[in-house]
Amino acid sequence: MTKAYSIFLTVLFTVFIGGVLVISALLPKEEFSEMENRFLQKPPELSIETVKNGKFMENAEKYVSDHIAGRDLWVAAKAWGERLSGKQENNGVYFAAQDTLINRVEEPDGETWEQLDQNLEYLDQLVSNAGVPVYFGLIPSAAQVWHDRLPDGAPTADEAAIIKTLYSRTAARTVDLLSVLSAHSGEELYYRTDHHWTSLGAYYGYTALMEAMGMEPVDLADYERTTVTDQFYGTIFSASGVRWVAPDRIDTYIPADGVKVTSYFDGTPSQGSLYVDSYLEVKDKYSYFLGGVQPLCVVETGLTDAPRLLLIRDSYSDSLTPFLTQSFSQIHLFDPRYNLSSIQGYIQDNGIDAVAVLYSIPNYIADEYQFVLSR
């Protein structure tokens, strides 16, 4: 290689990097990524404290990564590079068997366990003050239930051990979701391109809750499965950069007839729906169930002599709710991430008969809003 050619390559590389930086700086900054269905990192806050604790550099790196020009292209190129090199993971996502993408779940460290113990204290305060039975259910991820699909030796958290430990430390009545889902692990319980459970997985979760509450679940055979789309690519597909897997199918089993849904944003009610067809035309198809994230949602089923359930939950409960309409007169879905009002007051004001706190393991480990349960 001649000196002139070396200089040419150096200049070309410098111009390329500089051009990407300039374009990234000039492009308008978006707050939300539709492809990944998440909010993008905001500009880092510069202060003496954030510099000392390392948060400034950490958030600055995330900000640059989220807003670099052509980000989706670079993520996809990296995934292809990892696959061609023989690796079985990219961005914390395993290239699993049966055309499946599975998120790695990190084992909780000492600091995380301290937060989990604190969350259980909040839960136990709810148990003491609610005046009605409180049930606690942790939903295992696909990494646990579909562990046989993972690449050999792929590290991920022992979710069974985490569930056992947390259940042993709380006064709440626990829901054995792990056993029910594991018993049906050969079925399509989770989406292959998304972290959520499918409607079938949600059904088995429903049966576990009904068993814990001493109630009879609806028989799935009494309903006909309806496929509403076969072109669903979820958040794991987007974040991983993987573009070679087939899309998922979204099914329903329970009709929406006779069900009234009211959504509340900033305390203002608006008419909702058990299923929102418009979401089937956009990237975020999972929001077809109930219309996606909302602080509070009340579902009235018209059943008489059936209990009222308060469900403190994450997004997994969106596809669980249709099955709950078969057993409860009202389902109140309360999301502490966006609703900081008093849960104890809500129980009293709305004649709630039972409370269920249901979270997926990864979401519960990362949740910072469980303090709301103590209010």
Side-chain angles (χ1 to χ4, degrees), residues 44-64:
E45 179 183 348
L46 178 60
S47 68
I48 296 177
E49 182 181 355
T50 58
V51 171
K52 285 184 176 180
N53 62 23
K55 285 293 183 180
F56 176 77
M57 289 305 300
E58 178 183 341
N59 291 335
E61 182 178 351
K62 291 179 180 178
Y63 178 78
V64 172

Side-chain angles (χ1 to χ4, degrees), residues 139 196-197 202 286 289-290 311-322 324 331 333 356 358-359:
I139 305 166
H196 292 104
W197 55 12
Y286 184 77
F289 298 103
L290 290 178
L311 189 56
I312 301 171
R313 53 76 176 219
D314 62 13
S315 55
Y316 278 65
S317 291
D318 291 349
S319 53
L320 172 68
T321 298
L324 297 176
I331 304 107
L333 295 102
L358 293 182
Y359 282 84

Side-chain angles (χ1 to χ4, degrees), residues 6 29 44 46 78 143 169 209 215 220 250 252 272 276 285 304 312 370-371:
S6 297
K29 303 299 182 287
L46 178 60
K78 181 175 182 290
R169 296 180 181 178
L209 179 60
M215 300 173 64
L220 190 65
I250 294 179
T252 62
V276 182
K285 289 179 171 55
T304 58
I312 301 171
Q370 292 298 295
F371 66 88

